[in-house]
Each structure stands twice: as structure tokens, then as C-alpha cells.
Amino acid sequence: MRYVRMFLIYFEAAFQYRSTSFVWFLLSLINPLMVLLFWRGAFQSGASPLTGWSYPSIASYYLILVVANTFLVTHIENDIAQTDIQQGGLSSYLTRPFSYMVLKFCDSLPWRLLQGFFSLVTLFLFIIFFKLVLHVTQDPVLIVLAVVTAFLAQLVVFLFKMVLGLSALWLTDYGGLAELIDVLFLIFGGFIMPLALFPGLFGAISSQTPFAYMVYYPVLSILGKLNVGQSLAVVVGECGWLVVFYLAYRLMWKNGVKKFTGIGQ
Amino acid sequence: MKRYLRVYRAYAKISLQTLLAYRGNFVNNLISTLSWGLFSFVSIYLLTSKASTVYGWTRDELILLTCGYQILIGIFHTLFSRNFERMAETINLAQLDSFLLKPLDSQFVLSMRWVNFLSLIRIVVGLGFSIYVLEHSTLPVSPWNVLFFAFLLGVSIILLYSIWYVVVTLIIWYPRMSNVVELMYSVSGMTRYPGEMYRNAMGPFFAFMIPIVIIMTTPVRALLSKVTLWDVSLLFVLAGMFFYASRKFWKFALRHYTSASS
């Protein structure tokens, strides 16, 4: 119950910054839309550039990608690294009778819900004004697996970002690492194009990185591009990455807190 | 004018000394610059691996557009973008007073006090890829095209600077939207795609995109000997208009600025 109350407090704080949240949402909208427009031109030239994808299905891919990105991908790492670690705010969390990880989850969830709301409204407007037909799965079993995949993906992203944020306990300035991760996420998260279409070895590697499990596979699952066996394999993969990142978090937290000094807090 | 040049030289010297003094920061910014620099090329190579002609632009022309974008954004990030980030923070934290009290033009001080030398790497990367593409393609590029491209790129930078300045000035009324600078990075990224892409999709709303679209498309068209007098005139007119508007808007905004006991 106390964590529900914490969530409501954080939701109130996030709602105060709804205009800031809306600008962050626009950021997540621009890149996929630009790439979608690019493919529109490619399809209009008469060719079928993407094997196994028509223009309506690739449009569905990018629009669902925007929605999934806003709901699933948290950006808590900057808060952890800068506000908590570098500015010493972590001290106040260490004295509270709450799990730091759970508090941070309660902190990040309202922002996901708020931006997710903006993305759903945008999706709705796209469907109305551009008369788009979304190509999503209708199979009840695949829908359930898609929901499970999306839920696990959010946990994978959250734990990964917690690990990334805690790296600031060792790195004086973690900004460069954060930007490198952002770039890798854009490439291997399927934001340029579906990973299955990447050429040769690049494609094989990209589908095995943790980034693929964060947004790309949940999107494919919602679109019905994965059968039951493939969806279960994704769920197993996500569970595997959850274990890896959770162990990394525990190790970093145990050793990192010993190093931490918060002056004047 | 001479005074401003002396001040700018001092700012550049301080920026370089700061960059070299903090080695961790140096490595950090180097990784960041290289990451984003390579991202543009990776994405265009991946996109054009599946579509060799898009909106009338061939693969080589699209890659050249990305190279041109790298050079433009490298210059812009070197001279201006870090200043806009700090300007947003300065306004949000009501620290603008110290800048307004200086015996220098506030727009100059706020937008030019920091030079990010590491972003020169993006210019080098852009130039390197451009030379590679031109050597391995049949694109007709002469030295006069290159000079004309460089000249128009300078005009484009003025237009991009002015658009950024107008948008960041809005923070004086809406301090909570200080993340609008991050949005402008994405908006600037829209210039690396062909203008026809937006005209096709946006219909009558394309008019609002014209200033963004022509920033990169016009200089690259000049490089490929495809530019028209209308394209060049439009770029000049918009750059002049937006620069004038940025000055006027900034002066107007300062009348509405309220500091917080600084």
C-alpha cells in the first residue's frame, strides 16, 4: 500500500510537468516519423524495398514503435547519475525505509503513463486523419503473449537503465557512455528499420543484443509477426536479460554504495 | 566590431583551455561526438541498402546529403549548440541578469561564449565521407560547386542559428520547457532528409517546414548543380528574415523577463 501512495505522489509531481513531458514525447515521435516518410518514398517508387513488409504494415510498425517507446523506455538513468549520485541526492534514499529500486520505478512509471497517453492520442489522430488501418494481431493467445512480452520488456529497460545510472558511482562523467548507449539503442532497438532486414552478420548480432528485447520484439509481437514459439523464445530471452541486469544491479549497488559520499546532504 | 572579435577570441581560448584541462570531460565529449557522427552514416547506409532511389534522390546523393548535414551540424555544434543548452539553463534558473549587465550585446554573449572544439571531428568525418562518396560515384561535382556549397552552407548556418534562437527565447515565458533544446536537436536532424519527403506528406502544412527543409537541401543541390535561382533566393530571404526576427524577438522577450533575486 505504501508503494501505491509513493506512486501517486510521484504521479502528482510528474503531472505538474506535463508540458515538459509533452516535449519529451515529441522527441520520441520525430525520428520514427521521418524514417516512415522515407519508406513512403521508397514504396512510391514502385519497388518493394522491404521483403515481407508492405507500406501499411511498415507504417503500423513505426506507429506502434512510437507507442511502445513511450510506454516502455524509461530515462531514469540521468536522474540517478546526475541528481542522486553526482549531486548527492542518494543520501536521502539511503535513510528511507524503502527500496531504492522500487522508489525509482514508482518515480519513472508516471512519466511513462503520461507520455504513453500522448502517444495513444497521436496514434488515434493518425488513424482518423490518414485513414490508417493498423496491422495488429487478432489471435487471443498472441495478444496475451504480446502483453507479457511488453511487461517484461519494461522491466528489462528499467533494470538496464538502473545499471547504467549506477555506473556514475565509478565514472566521473558518465555522459559520453550514456550518449553511446542512446545511439546503440536507436540502431539495435529497431528504430531505423526492422532488425530482420539488417544485412548479413550485422542483422544476426543485432537480434541478440538486449536492445532488441526492449522495444523491437514487443512491437513485432503486437503486430503478430511472431508465432507462439517465437514469442515464447522472446519471453525466455527477456527473463534471461532480467536476471543478468538484476544481478549486475545488485553487485553495483552493494559495491557502489560503499564508495558513495554525499557532501552536505 | 574589433572589440567583439577580441572578446570572441578570449571566449575561444577559455573554451579550449577548459576542454584540455578536464581530460575526463574531453574523453566523454569525444565518445558522444563520434557516436552521433557515426549514427547518421550508419542509418543512411542501412536505409539506402534497401532503397536506392527515394523522392528522385539516388543513393549517392542521399549519402552526400548526410555528409553535408554532418559538416553543417559539426559547425553548428562547434559554435552554437552548447551555448543554447546553457542559455536554456540560464533562463530557467533566472541567472540571466549577470549577462544582461555586461557591456556587450546579450545575444552575442549568450549564443557565442562557448566554443565546442570537439565537434570539429564531425566536420572532419563529414568531409572524409564526402570525398569517399565523390571519388566512388559519378556525381558531377566541380570546384565551383564546392565553393558555392560552402557559401550557401554559411547562409544555412545563419538560418539554423536564427530558428534555434527564436525557439529558445520562448523559454523566457515557459521556463519549464527548457527541454525544448533537446527537441531542436531532433528538428535539426530533419534537415538530413530530402525536402520532397516533407512536401509529399504534409500538403498545405509544408509551408511551415520550408525553413527547415532548405537548410541542407539547397547547399547540396548547389553541390550537384541542381539548384535553381528560386532555391538560393529563398534561402537568403529566409535567413535574413529569421535573423532579423530573432534579434527583434529577443529584445521583445527581455522586456518580459523577471529575474529571481539575483
Side-chain angles (χ1 to χ4, degrees):
Chain A
M1 195 60 200
R2 59 183 184 164
Y3 287 113
V4 170
R5 281 200 208 105
M6 292 304 299
F7 165 76
L8 290 172
I9 290 168
Y10 281 120
F11 187 85
E12 202 179 319
F15 196 73
Q16 274 190 1
Y17 288 90
R18 52 196 180 278
S19 55
T20 311
S21 193
F22 182 68
V23 174
W24 288 124
F25 159 69
L26 288 177
L27 263 165
S28 65
L29 181 67
I30 288 176
N31 274 320
L33 277 190
M34 282 197 291
V35 179
L36 179 57
L37 285 180
F38 180 92
W39 289 124
R40 190 168 180 257
F43 277 95
Q44 277 176 349
S45 65
S48 297
L50 304 174
T51 318
W53 294 82
S54 61
Y55 182 69
S57 62
I58 201 73
S60 299
Y61 171 82
Y62 283 107
L63 290 173
I64 300 291
L65 190 73
V66 169
V67 176
N69 185 35
T70 52
F71 269 114
L72 302 180
V73 180
T74 181
H75 300 283
I76 203 77
E77 72 277 18
N78 293 324
D79 196 38
I80 294 170
Q82 287 164 11
T83 313
D84 293 349
I85 294 172
Q86 288 173 357
Q87 293 171 25
L90 188 62
S91 309
S92 61
Y93 288 95
L94 295 174
T95 54
R96 288 181 194 172
F98 300 105
S99 157
Y100 180 67
M101 186 172 71
V102 175
L103 272 183
K104 283 297 170 191
F105 187 76
C106 293
D107 186 0
S108 70
L109 192 57
W111 292 93
R112 298 301 100 229
L113 294 174
L114 204 49
Q115 288 182 32
F117 169 75
F118 292 137
S119 69
L120 287 174
V121 168
T122 306
L123 180 67
F124 179 70
L125 290 173
F126 263 91
I127 291 170
I128 299 291
F129 287 108
F130 294 100
K131 296 183 180 36
L132 282 176
V133 177
L134 276 186
H135 288 225
V136 295
T137 182
Q138 314 272 346
D139 184 333
V141 174
L142 290 178
I143 290 171
V144 169
L145 282 169
V147 170
V148 171
T149 310
F151 174 71
L152 289 173
Q154 190 179 50
L155 296 179
V156 171
V157 173
F158 174 74
L159 279 172
F160 174 73
K161 293 298 181 101
M162 288 292 291
V163 167
L164 185 61
L166 287 181
S167 66
L169 286 165
W170 288 271
L171 301 172
T172 317
D173 196 342
Y174 102 117
L177 173 66
E179 303 236 10
L180 177 63
I181 296 292
D182 281 344
V183 169
L184 292 174
F185 185 65
L186 282 173
I187 296 172
F188 295 114
F191 287 85
I192 300 175
M193 63 187 190
L195 300 183
L197 300 170
F198 278 17
L201 186 65
F202 198 54
I205 294 168
S206 59
S207 59
Q208 299 309 314
T209 64
F211 304 109
Y213 291 89
M214 292 179 187
V215 178
Y216 176 66
Y217 283 129
V219 171
L220 286 194
S221 194
I222 293 165
L223 292 174
K225 291 278 183 184
L226 301 176
N227 58 34
V228 173
Q230 287 167 332
S231 297
L232 288 170
V234 167
V235 168
V236 169
E238 284 174 334
C239 291
W241 283 113
L242 270 177
V243 170
V244 166
F245 290 136
Y246 181 71
L247 290 175
Y249 166 77
R250 294 287 302 189
L251 193 66
M252 287 174 82
W253 178 256
K254 188 180 162 196
N255 293 304
V257 163
K258 290 176 198 166
K259 282 176 65 67
F260 173 73
T261 48
I263 299 166
Q265 292 292 323
Chain B
M1 186 69 175
K2 272 189 191 169
R3 186 162 74 103
Y4 280 89
L5 283 170
R6 269 203 310 271
V7 169
Y8 191 69
R9 231 179 82 186
Y11 281 149
K13 201 170 155 186
I14 293 166
S15 301
L16 185 62
Q17 286 171 345
T18 310
L19 181 69
L20 296 173
Y22 295 99
R23 291 194 189 95
N25 212 30
F26 179 89
V27 170
N28 189 44
N29 284 326
L30 183 65
I31 294 170
S32 169
T33 303
L34 277 173
S35 303
W36 287 110
L38 291 173
F39 169 72
S40 302
F41 289 107
V42 168
S43 64
I44 199 67
Y45 269 104
L46 285 173
L47 289 171
T48 54
S49 69
K50 299 292 175 188
S52 55
T53 304
V54 174
Y55 297 107
W57 290 67
T58 64
R59 185 178 196 213
D60 289 336
E61 288 171 348
L62 287 168
I63 294 173
L64 202 62
L65 185 61
T66 298
C67 296
Y69 166 78
Q70 281 300 320
I71 297 168
L72 171 99
I73 216 69
I75 298 170
F76 188 80
H77 284 345
T78 301
L79 299 176
F80 303 119
S81 60
R82 197 58 64 87
N83 293 302
F84 284 117
E85 284 175 22
R86 290 184 176 193
M87 186 175 155
E89 203 179 288
T90 301
I91 296 171
N92 192 26
L93 298 174
Q95 294 169 347
L96 200 50
D97 301 39
S98 58
F99 296 91
L100 298 176
L101 292 171
K102 289 188 197 303
L104 291 166
D105 182 76
S106 53
Q107 186 170 355
F108 168 80
V109 172
L110 284 165
S111 61
M112 302 189 81
R113 61 192 158 126
W114 180 260
V115 182
N116 185 11
F117 286 97
L118 270 179
S119 290
L120 291 172
I121 292 171
R122 290 186 80 161
I123 302 172
V124 171
V125 169
L127 281 171
F129 271 98
S130 303
I131 293 168
Y132 176 82
V133 167
L134 290 172
E135 277 186 355
H136 290 83
S137 69
T138 53
L139 295 172
V141 173
S142 69
W144 287 115
N145 290 133
V146 172
L147 279 170
F148 196 22
F149 164 80
F151 176 66
L152 290 179
L153 201 68
V155 181
S156 291
I157 287 169
I158 294 171
L159 177 55
L160 187 62
Y161 164 88
S162 307
I163 293 170
W164 271 69
Y165 208 93
V166 166
V167 171
V168 175
T169 302
L170 288 171
I171 297 174
I172 287 194
W173 287 280
Y174 306 105
R176 283 191 181 171
M177 289 175 64
S178 54
N179 59 343
V180 78
V181 173
E182 301 292 331
L183 182 65
M184 288 308 295
Y185 280 111
S186 284
V187 170
S188 302
M190 293 169 85
T191 62
R192 62 191 156 101
Y193 293 99
E196 291 81 353
M197 189 167 100
Y198 304 105
R199 185 182 302 143
N200 231 288
M202 298 180 76
F205 298 104
F206 175 67
F208 294 102
M209 282 297 297
I210 289 174
I212 299 292
V213 158
I214 63 169
I215 283 171
M216 210 52 246
T217 312
T218 304
V220 172
R221 281 188 180 282
L223 191 62
L224 299 169
S225 308
K226 288 182 178 180
V227 77
T228 63
L229 183 62
W230 166 252
D231 293 336
V232 175
S233 308
L234 189 61
L235 180 65
F236 268 90
V237 165
L238 284 176
M241 261 173 58
F242 270 86
F243 186 73
Y244 178 77
S246 73
R247 294 265 322 145
K248 284 291 177 197
F249 192 46
W250 175 244
K251 298 282 183 210
F252 172 73
L254 285 180
R255 294 205 289 269
H256 294 263
Y257 171 69
T258 49
S259 97
S261 65
S262 55

